[in-house]
Amino acid sequence: MFVTVGDQPSLFESVLPAELLRLPVELGRIDALLDDPTFFEPFVPFFDPRLGRPSTPMETYLRLMFLKFRHGLGYESLCREVSDSITWRRFCRIPLEASVPHPTTLMKLTTRCGSTAVEGLNDALLAKAAQAKLLRTNRVRVDTTVVPSNVAYPTDSGLLARAIGRMAATQRRIRAAGGATRTKVRDRSRAAGKRAHAIGAKLRMRSAAGRDEALVSRVINWFTYLWLR
């Protein structure tokens, strides 16, 4: 059964000093942000609204996951740190007399919801940031995982072939828009690509021949050194 909000603070917590109940600035801002029910919606399809055992409150799960990724903790270390900290308990909406969710429970929730819920959370966060005018959505910079691959360095012939292809594409768009109807332009992109490929093959052969000559030269120098020795 889908549960969004946990139990209310106990009477014991209400008599604690204000210094213990006050959250740090960063956690206070995140706490106010995650109070928006919009962040619960990506998890709705994964739970039955009425049947089954009550799930971990989503407000608690979201705050636990924030602490996990913010501080680079594992599931077990996260639960241990939250259990020992009144501030983190207050942030995660876990009463002092209640137990912190077990690490395996958090793992199962993460596996169950998967990347679909994460994408929904990202969409909700971007929409909220755009609504608050904190983000210009016409251009977004994304920090992604880097995958190693072979690097193709630009060459003069390759850049020239690309420029010719761009000019041909621009000419086609102008013609499609109804402009420059009397101007005759020939598409040379295919010929330029063949010429660039031929130049690249020639340069690769020359570099291979240079490596062979250098190898032969090193072998000759080595034999000469051994002979004169």
Side-chain angles (χ1 to χ4, degrees), residues 160-178:
L160 180 59
R162 291 182 187 177
I164 293 174
R166 290 289 180 86
M167 287 189 292
T170 303
Q171 182 267 338
R172 287 194 295 269
R173 288 198 298 267
I174 294 174
R175 286 286 182 86

Side-chain angles (χ1 to χ4, degrees), residues 8-16 21 90 95-97:
Q8 298 297 322
S10 63
L11 179 62
F12 172 73
E13 293 183 56
S14 61
V15 299
L16 291 176
L21 301 178
R90 292 280 300 171
L96 295 180
E97 71 278 4

Side-chain angles (χ1 to χ4, degrees), residues 7 9-10 12-13 16 20-21 23-24 27 31 59-60 63-64 67 78-101:
D7 298 332
S10 63
F12 172 73
E13 293 183 56
L16 291 176
L20 295 179
L21 301 178
L23 293 176
L27 292 183
D31 182 69
E59 63 173 6
T60 298
R63 288 164 170 80
L64 285 170
L67 293 175
L78 169 69
C79 296
R80 184 170 56 251
E81 293 293 335
V82 174
S83 299
D84 294 339
S85 174
I86 296 179
T87 301
W88 281 19
R89 275 180 170 269
R90 292 280 300 171
F91 173 72
C92 295
R93 309 288 175 86
I94 301 175
L96 295 180
E97 71 278 4
S99 60
V100 177

Side-chain angles (χ1 to χ4, degrees), residues 34-173:
L34 294 180
D35 272 337
D36 192 342
T38 305
F39 294 108
F40 302 149
E41 295 179 1
F43 299 95
V44 172
F46 300 96
F47 298 91
D48 191 282
R50 291 175 296 178
L51 301 178
R53 187 174 60 181
S55 67
T56 301
M58 282 301 107
E59 63 173 6
T60 298
Y61 174 73
L62 287 175
R63 288 164 170 80
L64 285 170
M65 289 300 99
F66 170 78
L67 293 175
K68 179 182 183 301
F69 290 101
R70 177 67 177 83
H71 299 281
L73 301 173
Y75 287 99
E76 294 183 357
S77 57
L78 169 69
C79 296
R80 184 170 56 251
E81 293 293 335
V82 174
S83 299
D84 294 339
S85 174
I86 296 179
T87 301
W88 281 19
R89 275 180 170 269
R90 292 280 300 171
F91 173 72
C92 295
R93 309 288 175 86
I94 301 175
L96 295 180
E97 71 278 4
S99 60
V100 177
H102 197 269
T104 56
T105 302
L106 300 179
M107 294 178 190
K108 291 178 181 178
L109 274 174
T110 304
T111 304
R112 182 176 187 175
C113 300
S115 59
T116 304
V118 176
E119 292 175 359
L121 290 173
N122 288 334
D123 293 340
L125 182 61
L126 289 175
K128 193 173 182 63
Q131 184 180 3
K133 297 182 179 180
L134 300 176
L135 176 69
R136 294 181 179 179
T137 54
N138 58 346
R139 181 176 298 177
V140 179
R141 179 175 296 176
V142 180
D143 185 10
T144 60
T145 303
V146 178
V147 179
S149 61
N150 295 327
V151 178
Y153 293 99
T155 59
D156 294 339
S157 57
L159 293 175
L160 180 59
R162 291 182 187 177
I164 293 174
R166 290 289 180 86
M167 287 189 292
T170 303
Q171 182 267 338
R172 287 194 295 269
R173 288 198 298 267

Side-chain angles (χ1 to χ4, degrees), residues 160-207:
L160 180 59
R162 291 182 187 177
I164 293 174
R166 290 289 180 86
M167 287 189 292
T170 303
Q171 182 267 338
R172 287 194 295 269
R173 288 198 298 267
I174 294 174
R175 286 286 182 86
T181 56
R182 297 183 179 180
T183 304
K184 295 182 179 180
V185 180
R186 296 183 61 182
D187 188 355
R188 299 282 188 176
S189 57
R190 186 174 181 180
K194 290 183 178 180
R195 184 60 60 87
H197 181 73
I199 293 174
K202 184 68 174 179
L203 292 176
R204 286 191 294 271
M205 290 178 59
R206 185 180 298 176
S207 61

